[in-house]
Amino acid sequence: MTEKSLLDFVTKIRREIHQYPELGNNEFKTAKVIERVLKSLGIPHKRVGKTGVLGEIKRGPGPCVALRADMDALPLTEISKSSYASKIPGVMHACGHDAHVAMLLGAAMILKDDKNISGTVKFIFQPNEEGAGGALELIKKGIMNHPRVEATFGLHVNPRFPSGSVAIKSGPLMAAVDKFEIEIMGQGGHAAYPHEGKDAVAIASEAVQSLQMIVSRKVDPVDPAVLTVGTFNAGTRYNILAGRATLTGTVRTLSEKTHALIPKLIRQTLDGITKAHGAKYVLNYEVLGSVLSNDKTMALHARKSAEKILPMNLIHEPEQASMGGEDFAEYLKFSPGCFIYVGTGSQRLKTTAPWHHPGFNLDESALPVGSKLLAQIVRDF
Ligand code: NI
């Protein structure tokens, strides 16, 4: 297979999926495209759940390596005027999952003809990454067993790195994602007689301020954490004392220690404030995703494979983790592995808009790099 035929193959798939983006757990068309391509490559595959697809190359004894691509799009309207722009108003591949599917199918195409591999390669096409829960759903359905996966690798396009490069980091790469909902129950009344009620607006405001003290004053400053209150709703009218207030927000952490600590501190803060004002509260705290931490040995393995296909100046090592989340972390609880960035940023092609932006796009000439890297990682196993 030539460079050009690989580029044509992945570009065609990426554009087809890009035009018909589908939200989490609704990736029916996308799954059909994947199945069509796997069939044309002669790779056995099956549907997992509604829209997940698992392809498998099994060749004799040897290790089992899993490669994962996510499939879902985002509720955004694409601003691009390109010929392959989204044809679905309000839905767009603004995180590059279309490219992840294309790169993984590219790797499948490279590997299907490789007579030197011995063992099993699982190609995991995962729905619903953005909604969180897609990875866990597939794992619960047993995709990591029979045979048991020994290492898992995945790619994410990244506009912050120059097109054609890759970025590999050992250790924490992306944050644990938590969500909280707080309801403060005060006591309503007339706005002119605040002393006769318990003003939920004032109490919740104090809570918002004090919650900021958790990250700034109670968490080790060299252990990154974020606590953001995203919504604050209270009251019905300018002259009515609010009896209730609700706050929702997110917590992001990079270590298990701080991940466990913050909900306790939130509770402690709310206990104190509501007690001081004679109010009550309910806290719903949900862990949506774990810290994505790349295994040291697997990151090194990926790096060595990258060195076989790319010059050194195109292999980066991100210095910092990101506070964004990624449910690839779920696979890493099951097997060691590594999540790798494929640079797709090009000033010339104006593909430097960040993830989840309506102007997001990528330099497609970078996609074969991802396919080749995944294939090389499998070969090196
Ligand atoms: Ni993404």
Side-chain angles (χ1 to χ4, degrees):
M1 184 201 5
T2 62
E3 276 295 313
K4 171 88 170 60
S5 62
L6 177 61
L7 176 63
D8 289 347
F9 179 83
V10 290
T11 304
K12 206 168 155 236
I13 295 168
R14 185 255 165 168
R15 290 188 179 188
E16 182 176 356
I17 297 173
H18 192 86
Q19 289 178 62
Y20 299 98
E22 297 169 301
L23 295 175
N25 287 330
N26 277 294
E27 306 92 338
F28 294 100
K29 272 201 177 94
T30 311
K32 280 202 177 126
V33 172
I34 293 164
E35 287 166 338
R36 189 191 75 214
V37 176
L38 288 173
K39 193 171 171 214
S40 75
L41 294 173
I43 295 173
H45 54 88
K46 62 176 182 189
R47 198 57 88 93
V48 186
K50 273 199 306 178
T51 54
V53 181
L54 178 67
E56 204 168 277
I57 296 180
K58 213 171 191 164
R59 264 190 221 135
C64 175
V65 180
L67 306 176
R68 174 274 208 171
D70 43 11
M71 302 159 66
D72 54 327
L74 286 158
L76 279 170
T77 297
E78 183 165 10
I79 54 177
S80 158
K81 295 269 181 291
S82 69
S83 59
Y84 57 86
S86 169
K87 292 199 181 352
I88 314 293
V91 188
M92 176 197 174
H93 269 292
C95 200
H97 299 186
D98 50 345
H100 304 163
V101 169
M103 288 190 288
L104 185 53
L105 287 168
M109 180 168 78
I110 299 170
L111 289 167
K112 78 163 169 93
D113 293 326
D114 193 329
K115 297 286 175 279
N116 293 321
I117 51 172
S118 182
T120 305
V121 191
K122 289 187 183 187
F123 300 92
I124 301 170
F125 296 91
Q126 180 212 303
N128 196 30
E129 191 281 321
E130 299 292 354
L136 205 55
E137 194 76 31
L138 292 188
I139 293 168
K140 276 188 193 151
K141 289 197 156 59
I143 56 146
M144 299 296 272
N145 287 314
H146 312 294
R148 195 180 164 88
V149 172
E150 287 158 56
T152 312
F153 294 88
L155 302 175
H156 206 297
V157 294
N158 193 328
R160 293 179 193 211
F161 289 97
S163 183
S165 69
V166 297
I168 301 166
K169 181 184 180 296
S170 171
L173 183 72
M174 298 191 86
V177 179
D178 300 350
K179 178 184 164 189
F180 62 80
E181 289 171 7
I182 299 164
E183 184 166 11
I184 306 267
M185 287 93 83
Q187 194 185 310
H190 197 299
Y193 310 95
H195 56 294
E196 290 176 2
K198 289 161 189 167
D199 183 4
V201 167
I203 299 165
S205 302
E206 206 174 310
V208 172
Q209 292 300 323
S210 297
L211 289 173
Q212 303 311 310
M213 298 291 273
I214 292 176
V215 172
S216 70
R217 305 286 88 180
K218 288 171 185 164
V219 169
D220 184 342
V222 295
D223 185 7
V226 173
L227 188 159
T228 294
V229 176
T231 70
F232 185 138
N233 285 292
T236 50
R237 206 181 131 93
Y238 81 98
N239 60 356
I240 296 176
L241 202 63
R244 275 167 195 268
T246 52
L247 308 171
T248 66
T250 187
V251 172
R252 308 292 172 107
T253 46
L254 289 176
S255 75
E256 281 312 325
K257 190 178 147 224
T258 305
H259 191 198
L261 175 68
I262 291 184
K264 287 183 196 149
L265 293 174
I266 291 178
R267 203 166 278 287
Q268 196 183 309
T269 302
L270 295 171
D271 279 342
I273 289 170
T274 51
K275 195 173 174 212
H277 298 294
K280 289 192 165 45
Y281 77 94
V282 177
L283 168 67
N284 284 315
Y285 197 92
E286 226 182 313
V287 175
L288 298 182
S290 310
V291 179
L292 190 166
S293 190
N294 284 332
D295 179 82
K296 204 174 160 190
T297 313
M298 294 301 156
L300 189 66
H301 178 100
R303 190 180 171 92
K304 283 188 176 152
S305 299
E307 284 171 8
K308 291 183 186 170
I309 61 162
L310 288 173
M312 290 299 257
N313 66 333
L314 292 180
I315 306 169
H316 305 285
E317 191 177 345
E319 279 172 28
Q320 287 177 336
S322 132
M323 297 315 269
E326 165 61 62
D327 75 359
F328 186 80
E330 295 301 325
Y331 301 96
L332 297 185
K333 285 185 197 163
F334 198 93
S335 84
C338 186
F339 197 58
I340 300 157
Y341 290 135
V342 174
T344 49
S346 158
Q347 298 288 350
R348 185 177 60 85
L349 296 171
K350 300 193 175 70
T351 60
T352 51
W355 293 319
H356 296 208
H357 186 281
F360 182 85
N361 202 353
L362 47 90
D363 179 359
E364 291 164 324
S365 73
L367 303 186
V369 172
S371 300
K372 287 194 282 186
L373 179 57
L374 288 178
Q376 192 60 45
I377 285 171
V378 169
R379 283 172 174 151
D380 292 342
F381 248 88

